[in-house]
Amino acid sequence: MSETDEAIHELLVDSAQLSPGGRVADLGCGRGPTLAAFARRLPSARLIGFDVSTADVEAARTLLADHPGGAELRVTDLSGPLPLADDSVDAVVSYNVLECLADPAALLREVARVLRPGGRAVVAHVDFDSLMVAGAPRELDRRVCHAFTDDQQPWMAHADGRIGRKLPGLLGASPLVVEGVVPLVTTSTVLEGHAARRIGHIREAVSGAAATGRGPVSAQEVADWDAGVRLAAAEGRFFFAETAVTVIARAVA
Ligand SMILES: C[S@@+](CC[C@H](N)C(=O)[O-])C[C@H]1O[C@@H](n2cnc3c(N)ncnc32)[C@H](O)[C@@H]1O
């Protein structure tokens, strides 16, 4: 399974209920996996993507270059106002981005401003304290997974790894009207695909934190954790799960 085929992106497309020719903005689009899912399903959709990373915006531009409906990708810091007119988009989506913002409520006010009345906002985030990894011994596994949840990685201006559980409250307090909350549990019994990528994220983030004296876990402990996960996978004992929380809301008509 490639990163762009992951179920969460399909869930975001389903939940946005975009009509053919509709305009959707992906806030923190990264390299474009969610917009690519829209492009596959709705060839006439008009795609907009914002991200603070120039490299990611370039990658998304390449990925979506042939989309018939057109794709406007722009380097934008979501901690400021969105470069969109009032009532100008039919749907807004965002996946795994709000944890990086010091004031996610401010972005949600911007979402309410740019959505047309009745337009949908679909905001999803993994709650990293939901991680379940069968591999390393209990205490080591707890310490490494919690260190990952709590770490502010160098590319983040802010970090809240437990924001998934806060999304319903954040959206509920915003000018948007919450229509539903959908959990998506991703599981794997093999160290491949999404599970392998997430294990890699954890290893790199926590060992990077150890190297710069940031985290509570040593480089040797991260290496031991990783070896435990790999041994479990080799012996058929590996299991991985994480939960993403998706909140579906609409702009007041
Ligand atoms: C975990 S990635 C998720 C990317 C994409 N939504 C996906 O599903 O692959 C988080 C993204 O948020 C972007 N980001 C973080 N802080 C941001 C900010 N202040 N403004 C805009 N983008 C930001 C990062 O550059 C990164 O591409």
Side-chain angles (χ1 to χ4, degrees):
M1 181 187 260
S2 81
E3 200 170 343
T4 61
D5 291 336
E6 286 174 14
I8 187 71
H9 304 296
E10 302 301 324
L11 176 61
L12 289 164
V13 176
D14 288 340
S15 306
Q17 295 191 345
L18 192 70
S19 302
R23 201 165 181 237
V24 58
D26 184 357
L27 309 184
C29 62
R31 301 169 70 84
T34 305
L35 291 174
F38 275 99
R40 280 194 297 275
R41 303 261 299 272
L42 292 159
S44 61
R46 291 174 292 159
L47 308 177
I48 302 166
F50 298 130
D51 201 285
V52 77
S53 158
T54 305
D56 282 4
V57 166
E58 273 309 312
R61 205 170 270 144
T62 303
L63 183 68
L64 298 162
D66 297 331
H67 175 59
E72 184 193 326
L73 286 314
R74 226 193 270 187
V75 176
T76 305
D77 186 346
L78 298 170
S79 57
L82 294 176
L84 291 169
D86 295 359
D87 302 351
S88 62
V89 295
D90 301 293
V92 170
V93 295
S94 185
Y95 173 55
N96 275 0
V97 178
L98 258 62
E99 70 164 330
C100 304
L101 302 177
D103 188 0
L107 180 64
L108 295 175
R109 286 194 293 277
E110 277 294 282
V111 170
R113 179 184 68 75
V114 304
L115 269 177
R116 67 160 170 78
R120 278 195 152 192
V122 187
V123 182
H125 217 294
V126 172
D127 189 297
F128 291 103
D129 255 359
S130 72
L131 275 165
M132 222 187 261
V133 184
R138 182 173 67 182
E139 287 310 318
L140 178 60
D141 185 61
R142 278 185 176 150
R143 292 184 60 229
V144 170
C145 289
H146 287 170
F148 175 68
T149 300
D150 294 341
D151 187 42
Q152 182 173 331
Q153 297 169 57
W155 58 273
M156 298 168 154
H158 179 267
D160 180 356
R162 288 161 55 95
I163 199 166
R165 70 195 64 193
K166 300 176 189 168
L167 281 190
L170 273 168
L171 273 285
S174 79
L176 301 159
V177 178
V178 174
E179 295 196 322
V181 178
V182 181
L184 179 73
V185 184
T186 301
T187 66
S188 182
T189 54
V190 289
L191 188 52
E192 291 172 7
H194 178 82
R197 281 193 293 277
R198 184 67 77 210
I199 297 299
H201 295 158
I202 297 170
R203 186 182 57 239
E204 282 156 31
V206 180
S207 60
T212 56
R214 267 198 335 270
V217 178
S218 72
Q220 185 58 54
E221 286 174 313
V222 185
D224 291 347
W225 175 84
D226 192 52
V229 170
R230 281 169 201 288
L231 182 63
E235 293 178 350
R237 293 182 286 107
F238 175 74
F239 179 71
F240 168 89
E242 70 179 23
T243 302
V245 178
T246 300
V247 181
I248 303 161
R250 67 179 157 74
V252 178

